[in-house]
Amino acid sequence: MIFLSRSKTLSTPTNHPMIINSLTRTIAVVCSVTFLGMVAYAQDKPIKKGLKFTAIPKNINNPYMVIQSGGAMDACKELGIEGKVVGPSETGASAQVPYINTAITQHQNAILIAANDPNALVPYLKKAIGQKITVVTLDSDTLPEGRNVFINQASAEGIGQSLVQTLARQIGSSGDFAILSATPNATNQNTWIKYMQEELKKPEYKDMKLVKIAYGNDEDQKSFTETQGLLQAYPSLKGIISPTSVGIAAAARYISTSPYKGKVALTGLGTPNQLREFVKDGTIKEFELWNPSDVGYLAAYAAAQIASGNIQGKEGETFAAGKLGTRTVGKDGVVLLGPPTVFNADNIDKFNF
Amino acid sequence: MTKELKSSADGHGWMNAFVRSRVGSLVLLIAVLTVLTTALNPRFVSPQSLKDLMLNVSIIALLVLGQTVIILMRQIDLSISSIVGITAFLSGTLFINYPGIPSVAVVLIAVLAGLVLGTVNAALIAWGRIPALITTLGTLYIFRGANYAWVHGRQVNAVNVPGSFLAIGTSTFVGIPLLTWIVLILLVIFAIGLRQYRVGREFYAIGSNPTAAVLAGINVSRRLATGFIVSGAIAGLAGALWLARFGTVDATAAEGIELTVITSTVVGGVAITGGVGTVVGAVLGALLLSVFSSTLVFLRVPSFWQQSFQGAMLLLAIAADAYLAYRHALRSRVKWSHV
Amino acid sequence: MSQSQPSTRRLARRVSWETILALLLLIAVAGGTFLNKDFLTSDNWANLLANFVEIALMALPLSLIVITNDIDLSVASMLGLSSSLLGLLWEYKLAMPLAILICLVVGALCGAFNGFMIVRFRLPSLAVTIGTLALFRGFAYIILGDKAIADFPPEYTGFGIGVIPYTFIPMPFVLFIVLALIFWVVLHHTTIGRSLYAVGGNQTAARFSGVNISRLKMLLFILSGVISALAGIVFTFRFSSSRADNGTGFELSAIAAVFLGGVTVQGGKGTVTGVVLSLLLIGVINNVLTLADVASEILRIVTGSLLIISILLPNLIASTRERLRLMQRQKEIAKLGTASVAK
């Protein structure tokens, strides 16, 4: 904010009817150099050297999490930060706690975590914050007191709305549909479902009815058999929304080899590589996602900026995020990655993740 | 339970009747459930849902074949889920790394891998004399850990697997999926082997009364080892078929399936104390559990109730088992002792 | 440990399984200190001890059950059920002490159900508890569904995550130590404890000695239910989270700890000390490996291998000694034979 006052000083000499003598010229030069320096400094506030980050995904064997953590590690490499990915094999509430504690014991500078439970981790993350460790949540949030900022891949409301809108387009805004979710307690899933249900209250969807929420637990075969169950139990089902990459891939695989292909619309959040063949064979018309790698990347940059003392994670602050440009911290410490990309037959070949 | 030995010698008598009654009651239950559900939701017997049902049961039924042999000998094999996970991913990796590899080769390699893992179990149990519960609990952990370490967040996608292989899981012959045909053929082989061949009868003997089996000259160690090696090989085959069925395999494939398999086996009439039961009954047990699950789905029972129902079924099955055995013991005036 | 031969009994008397465990524990601690300078900090030990407190609690009655030649695989499901019930009761604004009491009673009822099926109907405990594992976990899901209850009062969650002032000992761990001491006294210094060993060793003989086996086993399963419920309550407070899937899979860790602690599958042998030592050993190893950033899958492999080695090694030692004895006997016989021929 100093450079703002500097520019005020800069502009005053030109407003005053003063002779531009050599002293003023020197002052002007000094001021402009300082101003440019300040601007450059603000864009490029240095990241501290020798930082150590720990990324804790929901579980260590989840392919989506692997892409996300990979993005975080790319950012760490760019910034010269020593980063590592550790995590549990299960997605229970308590499973990530030992890794948080280990990060504290190892005197890490930041923890990047996709939370399995919004509440269970808070006491332990608070302990980390108390020890001056930056905590950044990504993909799935905790209570705000447990972290400095939360990297949200896209506005939860936006995701909920666009998923309902996409399905409505495909089934003519009328009919029964179901949601195939991940685990019953996943924060992000439940938030998106909540916004979906909000969107459904609008008058234009009065003929669309949500008949069931099924849980595939982010496991391929469970999602597969749950899809079967949905189609068997609800003969009038017109569509399925699956806001999880494991779920939509399994559902697509089942539907494409069944007589329901083309009759039951399928949409949701998935990766282009997994769903390409199903878009091409007509099982899926449209689906959306962001680049999970970018989420991790942004999280690492945000953590680096906070750990270096450049920002505090308060609303309105901006920070440099490498290839993702300048980012702003929003309300409640949430940083948005941006709107999701919609994939369909026209553009799906352009992406590779 | 000495009565089993007595009747296994002559092949007739109350054991046969007991087994027949179990198989009979299983078939009856399945029929009742089917009729009930179809009346409420005709989609239950549509070709697609029947095909789904058969495919769902097939892999469990396959694993049940191996588990039956083990439980007949009064042992248990908890490690099958980890073996299936490893061989499923192995099959997928073979297709990815060696494009053009014939499906038969992949299946054979998967079976071989399962066989090797089963041999680890066999060695520890038969030679190391570690109780089966502990051994297979340990290998459940070890194999799954190795699987995680190997897979590590990667996965095999259906797009990596040749269509001809996936066809095993989708195409049908005379209305029955190929996968199910494979299991049915193996069922026949196991049923005949256990009934008619000495090897099979020895499995029963070992489970009925291990001491008597040793005195009768049966090489118990060798039979135990054979049982676990066979169980491993079956699990290996199940892994390859898992890939054909689901197309996507990640590190958690088949996790937890061992409890379903054991439940199916016990519900199917194979007593957990050994020496009693048939593979046909066990496979029917798997079918019953599957039909029951499907019924719950069709009746729109919240999926949260499913697990309780499964547990209740197992408890009912073993209670019924014990009651029937008690009644028969009373009738034949044989001393019935709690094992 | 298993078939004790005379020579191994001598060895066993000199080097008990507990001693081996204690030695391994020392090695693990030494290794941890060497590998990571932060290992011996009070913070780390607080985490280490708190980490396995629920499994430790469940392992205590489980070891008694295994000594009597039975097993209880439903412990983790009773934990989950108790946790879900606590959350539900709290959501309905029931006073916390009352809610805790109800959860413990429900735990006792679950244990009684197990006991009833196993003792009264004489069903094999392995099969019954596999069934109740699914049944009780299913109840937890029916109660809570996909909800998660948080917002527990800070007096209770403070107990869950707190430590004894001025030390690194977590408060739930103190609960475990107290219970472990009680179990130790009961098992090793009372008649009831002695009769547990008798039942495990030779059930018929125990019955003829006047031990009321049915009552004893029923008591054990009820105890297992109550303590599993207690573990569920501790878990809920430790993580301020009541979920239907809490504790899934814990039973395997508990059983691994019991077997590693020297309690044999055939029953009749094992000590509380051994189980406590094995719990500490597994806890320390887990902690050391996590601090060294070893992947969680390796932890699984290590636990599984420990379990198998804990039985394989004594078996191998026993069979080697037996073979050596045989060889020595044969040599002696041969010597006698030549001596008599020489005469």
Side-chain angles (χ1 to χ4, degrees):
Chain A
M1 305 314 151
I2 301 178
F3 70 86
L4 275 174
S5 49
R6 268 277 179 242
S7 61
K8 267 206 215 90
T9 337
L10 260 181
S11 56
T12 11
T14 54
N15 284 343
H16 284 186
M18 274 175 67
I19 309 162
I20 304 200
N21 56 21
S22 54
L23 181 61
T24 324
R25 214 185 353 245
T26 325
I27 295 176
V29 167
V30 169
C31 289
S32 31
V33 167
T34 330
F35 166 65
L36 287 171
M38 286 284 165
V39 169
Y41 182 73
Q43 291 294 77
D44 238 8
K45 285 210 202 105
I47 305 294
K48 270 207 204 126
K49 293 259 181 295
L51 291 177
K52 297 187 286 179
F53 285 6
T54 301
I56 306 178
K58 279 195 180 163
N59 57 343
I60 202 87
N61 298 291
N62 185 327
Y64 175 91
M65 288 284 144
V66 169
I67 305 178
Q68 191 174 264
S69 311
M73 290 302 112
D74 288 339
C76 286
K77 222 178 288 163
E78 274 177 25
L79 293 167
I81 296 173
E82 189 189 311
K84 62 182 172 206
V85 183
V86 291
S89 328
E90 314 82 38
T91 52
S94 60
Q96 292 169 313
V97 169
Y99 297 95
I100 299 175
N101 287 335
T102 306
I104 300 176
T105 312
Q106 291 172 331
H107 306 299
Q108 299 288 299
N109 298 101
I111 296 175
L112 314 171
I113 183 166
N116 278 331
D117 184 282
N119 301 292
L121 309 176
V122 171
Y124 304 94
L125 290 175
K126 269 169 115 161
K127 209 176 6 160
I129 295 181
Q131 308 237 2
K132 305 274 187 288
I133 300 177
T134 307
V135 175
V136 171
T137 47
L138 64 161
D139 178 78
S140 206
D141 201 6
T142 63
L143 299 177
E145 60 248 36
R147 43 77 169 164
N148 295 104
V149 288
F150 167 52
I151 310 297
N152 201 349
Q153 38 263 31
S155 111
E157 203 175 345
I159 296 176
Q161 285 170 349
S162 63
L163 284 175
V164 169
Q165 286 159 8
T166 312
L167 186 70
R169 267 200 302 273
Q170 293 175 27
I171 64 174
S173 298
S174 89
D176 291 344
F177 76 99
I179 296 178
L180 175 64
S181 181
T183 50
N185 296 107
T187 331
N188 48 3
Q189 294 287 317
N190 290 335
T191 318
W192 298 331
I193 292 175
K194 186 181 82 183
Y195 283 115
M196 280 193 240
Q197 287 165 323
E198 291 278 319
E199 177 75 2
L200 279 172
K201 292 197 189 129
K202 289 197 189 146
E204 56 257 44
Y205 305 115
K206 64 174 169 38
D207 292 323
M208 270 171 71
K209 191 165 120 198
L210 172 64
V211 291
K212 173 105 187 233
I213 303 178
Y215 296 100
N217 291 348
D218 262 348
E219 284 167 23
D220 182 77
Q221 70 268 19
K222 184 112 206 305
S223 306
F224 194 92
T225 45
E226 285 293 321
T227 312
Q228 265 179 21
L230 284 172
L231 292 165
Q232 288 166 352
Y234 299 92
S236 57
L237 205 69
K238 296 280 286 295
I240 299 180
I241 300 180
S242 186
T244 147
S245 55
V246 175
I248 194 175
R253 171 117 165 76
Y254 175 70
I255 293 178
S256 77
T257 55
S258 75
Y260 306 111
K261 177 161 98 172
K263 301 217 186 79
V264 176
L266 176 64
T267 186
L269 305 170
T271 59
N273 284 358
Q274 267 190 310
L275 300 178
R276 185 167 290 119
E277 67 173 289
F278 302 114
V279 171
K280 298 224 162 128
D281 78 0
T283 314
I284 301 179
K285 294 223 178 51
E286 259 183 4
F287 66 98
E288 44 189 63
L289 197 68
W290 45 83
N291 191 337
S293 177
D294 284 346
V295 180
Y297 187 90
L298 184 56
Y301 260 90
Q305 298 285 8
I306 299 179
S308 309
N310 299 343
I311 61 169
Q312 259 113 8
K314 296 217 191 350
E315 184 176 348
E317 289 181 321
T318 64
F319 63 95
K323 70 178 188 207
L324 293 175
T326 313
R327 292 293 167 150
T328 319
V329 178
K331 192 152 123 24
D332 282 333
V334 178
V335 182
L336 272 188
L337 178 66
T341 317
V342 175
F343 304 100
N344 52 32
D346 299 324
N347 64 2
I348 190 147
D349 284 321
K350 298 205 198 100
F351 302 92
N352 183 11
F353 65 88
Chain B
M1 296 229 224
T2 49
K3 48 187 163 39
E4 279 82 350
L5 260 186
K6 179 176 94 170
S7 44
S8 62
D10 53 36
H12 299 291
W14 76 265
M15 183 172 121
N16 247 6
F18 176 80
V19 163
R20 265 203 296 262
S21 81
R22 178 47 148 255
V23 167
S25 49
L26 283 170
V27 170
L28 193 69
L29 269 169
I30 293 173
V32 165
L33 277 175
T34 312
V35 166
L36 215 77
T37 322
T38 316
L40 290 164
N41 187 340
R43 242 194 201 192
F44 191 66
V45 288
S46 68
Q48 177 67 22
S49 38
L50 282 180
K51 184 172 137 185
D52 287 336
L53 183 69
M54 282 190 273
L55 285 171
N56 285 343
V57 182
S58 297
I59 295 193
I60 308 262
L62 180 60
L63 291 168
V64 156
L65 294 177
Q67 192 73 221
T68 305
V69 172
I70 304 264
I71 296 187
L72 280 177
M73 293 197 284
R74 214 187 269 190
Q75 308 293 314
I76 198 165
D77 189 352
L78 295 170
S79 64
I80 45 175
S81 61
S82 307
I83 299 180
V84 172
I86 292 182
T87 50
F89 192 75
L90 175 66
S91 310
T93 316
L94 285 171
F95 279 121
I96 297 179
N97 292 345
Y98 304 101
I101 188 172
S103 303
V104 179
V106 170
V107 172
L108 279 174
I109 296 177
V111 172
L112 201 66
L115 206 129
V116 166
L117 294 172
T119 314
V120 172
N121 279 333
L124 290 169
I125 294 172
W127 182 73
R129 289 195 301 210
I130 308 174
L133 181 63
I134 301 183
T135 308
T136 55
L137 186 63
T139 50
L140 172 74
Y141 271 153
I142 296 177
F143 293 161
R144 184 57 73 175
N147 192 18
Y148 277 172
W150 181 37
V151 175
H152 202 78
R154 297 176 291 163
Q155 67 181 35
V156 174
N157 281 319
V159 73
N160 305 119
V161 184
S164 52
F165 188 72
L166 292 174
I168 300 178
T170 47
S171 56
T172 65
F173 176 69
V174 192
I176 298 181
L178 288 178
L179 208 146
T180 314
W181 276 115
I182 296 177
V183 176
L184 283 171
I185 295 172
L186 280 166
L187 170 61
V188 169
I189 296 176
F190 268 76
I192 299 178
L194 282 173
R195 201 93 203 266
Q196 307 294 100
Y197 286 80
R198 203 181 71 166
V199 175
R201 306 314 294 169
E202 285 180 359
F203 287 139
Y204 281 99
I206 295 172
S208 293
N209 194 329
T211 332
V214 170
L215 292 173
I218 299 175
N219 191 334
V220 175
S221 303
R222 194 182 302 174
R223 291 289 163 255
L224 280 179
T226 314
F228 281 96
I229 294 177
V230 164
S231 178
I234 293 273
L237 177 62
L241 294 178
W242 183 283
L243 178 66
R245 163 91 173 112
F246 294 109
T248 305
V249 177
D250 61 19
T252 60
E255 224 172 46
I257 209 177
E258 71 275 5
L259 287 184
T260 314
V261 171
I262 294 174
T263 307
S264 304
T265 316
V266 173
V267 165
V270 181
I272 202 100
T273 45
V276 178
T278 62
V279 271
V280 173
V283 168
L284 282 174
L287 183 62
L288 177 63
L289 274 177
S290 222
V291 168
F292 190 65
S293 287
S294 278
T295 309
L296 292 178
V297 165
F298 270 85
L299 296 182
R300 301 194 190 166
V301 172
S303 38
F304 294 126
W305 289 74
Q306 288 245 1
Q307 210 168 359
S308 289
F309 276 116
Q310 277 210 350
M313 281 202 75
L314 177 60
L315 293 169
L316 276 170
I318 51 177
D321 257 343
Y323 180 63
L324 284 171
Y326 183 61
R327 282 248 315 266
H328 277 290
L330 278 184
R331 248 190 263 147
S332 34
R333 307 267 175 104
V334 173
K335 178 160 166 245
W336 177 72
S337 60
H338 158 61
V339 271
Chain C
M1 269 249 316
S2 42
Q3 297 89 41
S4 260
Q5 311 299 326
S7 45
T8 37
R9 219 176 287 140
R10 255 180 281 134
L11 178 71
R13 243 179 275 145
R14 266 178 289 155
V15 181
S16 67
W17 184 248
E18 287 76 19
T19 323
I20 299 180
L21 282 175
L23 250 135
L24 285 173
L25 186 59
L26 278 169
I27 297 176
V29 171
T33 328
F34 177 69
L35 282 171
N36 194 312
K37 57 173 170 47
D38 300 305
F39 178 70
L40 278 184
T41 56
S42 59
D43 254 351
N44 186 42
W45 273 84
N47 294 333
L48 195 162
L49 293 177
N51 225 7
F52 62 83
V53 105
E54 291 87 16
I55 295 180
L57 284 170
M58 295 192 295
L60 287 174
L62 190 58
S63 49
L64 294 191
I65 291 179
V66 177
I67 287 178
T68 60
N69 209 0
D70 268 319
I71 198 163
D72 187 353
L73 287 177
S74 64
V75 285
S77 302
M78 292 194 279
L79 186 158
L81 179 57
S82 154
S83 175
S84 305
L85 188 61
L86 189 66
L88 187 78
L89 293 175
W90 178 245
E91 213 193 12
Y92 283 123
K93 305 283 191 291
L94 211 65
M96 190 54 84
L98 185 60
I100 293 180
L101 189 65
I102 294 180
C103 287
L104 291 175
V105 167
V106 168
L109 287 171
C110 291
F113 181 76
N114 275 335
F116 194 65
M117 299 285 275
I118 294 169
V119 173
R120 184 76 172 77
F121 289 154
R122 316 243 212 147
L123 300 175
S125 54
L126 182 62
V128 167
T129 53
I130 288 182
T132 49
L133 182 153
L135 189 69
F136 296 153
R137 180 66 66 183
F139 286 163
Y141 274 105
I142 293 174
I143 289 181
L144 221 48
D146 54 356
K147 286 199 292 207
I149 315 287
D151 283 334
F152 289 98
E155 315 85 75
Y156 293 94
T157 54
F159 166 78
I161 58 175
V163 290
I164 303 281
Y166 303 116
T167 67
F168 60 84
I169 304 177
M171 295 208 240
F173 193 73
V174 173
L175 187 61
F176 165 66
I177 291 291
V178 167
L179 278 169
L181 279 168
I182 297 177
F183 272 76
W184 183 77
V185 165
V186 168
L187 187 61
H188 299 297
H189 296 283
T190 65
T191 339
I192 292 187
R194 200 69 52 81
S195 44
L196 285 174
Y197 282 114
V199 170
N202 189 329
Q203 192 155 292
T204 328
R207 182 173 283 125
F208 280 112
S209 306
V211 177
N212 191 335
I213 298 186
S214 311
R215 184 136 50 102
L216 203 62
K217 289 207 177 184
M218 189 62 151
L219 224 85
L220 284 182
F221 280 102
I222 295 179
L223 190 64
S224 178
V226 173
I227 296 198
S228 302
L230 182 65
I233 295 170
V234 168
F235 187 99
T236 315
F237 289 147
R238 227 155 57 80
F239 298 103
S240 208
S241 186
S242 165
R243 276 165 54 149
D245 67 351
N246 280 348
T248 309
F250 279 15
E251 68 275 345
L252 289 183
S253 308
I255 291 189
V258 168
F259 285 140
L260 183 63
V263 183
T264 55
V265 145
Q266 302 98 320
K269 289 201 175 62
T271 62
V272 171
T273 325
V275 173
V276 172
L277 282 171
S278 84
L279 284 163
L280 279 169
L281 180 63
I282 297 180
V284 168
I285 292 183
N286 272 355
N287 182 276
V288 169
L289 289 178
T290 316
L291 272 180
D293 291 327
V294 171
S296 56
E297 40 252 31
I298 310 290
L299 294 179
R300 266 189 202 221
I301 299 180
V302 166
T303 315
S305 312
L306 273 176
L307 187 58
I308 292 182
I309 293 175
S310 72
I311 309 212
L312 185 63
L313 219 57
N315 276 4
L316 284 178
I317 295 176
S319 64
T320 325
R321 285 195 153 253
E322 186 54 32
R323 218 170 293 152
L324 285 172
R325 254 188 75 234
L326 265 171
M327 276 171 32
Q328 194 159 25
R329 273 286 173 77
Q330 280 170 344
K331 249 192 256 164
E332 286 169 8
I333 293 174
K335 237 192 278 171
L336 284 170
T338 52
S340 60
V341 164
K343 275 209 207 111

